[in-house]
Amino acid sequence: MKSVTSLKAALLNQRAFTLIEILIAVAITAIIAAIALPAYSSFIYKSDVRAAQADLLSLSLKMESQYQRTLSYPILPDDKKTTTDGIKEVLKGWSPNSNARDFNFTFEDNTATTYKITAKGKDDSRQKNCTISLTQDNVRTSANCKHITSGKWL
């Protein structure tokens, strides 16, 4: 009998978390999440832009390589220079590292002596309306990109 009595006493003396303690823990977790989420979102947006910038540089190197061999930039047909897939088809060996759903790559001014490559954020992506461009003179521009000063490259 004594062991049953001591067991009951042990159960009655056992301490659990109170509702207040649990609410405080939840509040602290919510505050930490509220601080961390915007910082994480900014990091994700910037990484999307950096990937697109790297793709533009890679495409530019492909164009410059062709220029050094033939003393003219390749001229893409009108139906190929307005889509990423068209550019990949003409300039074999180039493939964007950035997620295909985020940016569309196009050539705007494409002649034997000039080019301007543009990466524009797709309407259904995080980078909607973000436009990044690069010319044959290494003029780099950006506009409407979240968390990035307009006109600057990261």
Side-chain angles (χ1 to χ4, degrees):
M1 261 325 216
K2 187 174 184 184
S3 64
V4 173
T5 309
S6 63
L7 181 62
K8 281 183 181 180
L11 288 175
L12 290 175
N13 289 334
Q14 193 174 30
R15 180 166 156 87
F17 290 111
T18 65
L19 181 59
I20 296 295
E21 291 171 331
I22 293 173
L23 287 175
I24 289 172
V26 169
I28 290 171
T29 304
I31 290 169
I32 291 171
I35 293 168
L37 190 60
Y40 179 72
S41 294
S42 173
F43 174 77
I44 295 298
Y45 287 125
K46 287 179 181 180
S47 70
D48 289 345
V49 172
R50 283 188 178 133
Q53 289 172 341
D55 291 337
L56 287 175
L57 289 171
S58 172
L59 189 52
S60 175
L61 289 172
K62 187 85 172 155
M63 296 291 285
E64 295 298 332
S65 175
Q66 177 73 20
Y67 186 82
Q68 286 190 352
R69 286 188 307 230
T70 63
L71 296 179
S72 70
Y73 295 115
I75 299 174
L76 282 73
D78 288 339
D79 63 329
K80 302 291 184 192
K81 65 183 177 180
T82 57
T83 66
T84 303
D85 290 334
I87 294 170
K88 285 177 16 181
E89 187 178 320
V90 174
L91 297 174
K92 305 262 190 254
W94 177 79
S95 182
N97 289 323
S98 59
N99 197 332
R101 72 173 185 271
D102 290 334
F103 286 92
N104 187 39
F105 294 87
T106 61
F107 276 87
E108 291 181 11
D109 302 322
N110 181 220
T111 68
T113 58
T114 64
Y115 66 84
K116 180 178 181 182
I117 315 164
T118 302
K120 183 161 176 36
K122 293 185 178 179
D123 289 338
D124 59 346
S125 75
R126 290 185 292 255
Q127 290 295 347
K128 181 179 180 181
N129 298 324
C130 176
T131 304
I132 309 163
S133 63
L134 177 66
T135 68
Q136 79 283 350
D137 294 326
N138 201 26
V139 175
R140 303 171 182 200
T141 59
S142 66
N144 303 321
C145 299
K146 293 179 184 178
H147 306 285
I148 296 160
T149 305
S150 189
K152 302 279 185 180
W153 267 41
L154 297 173

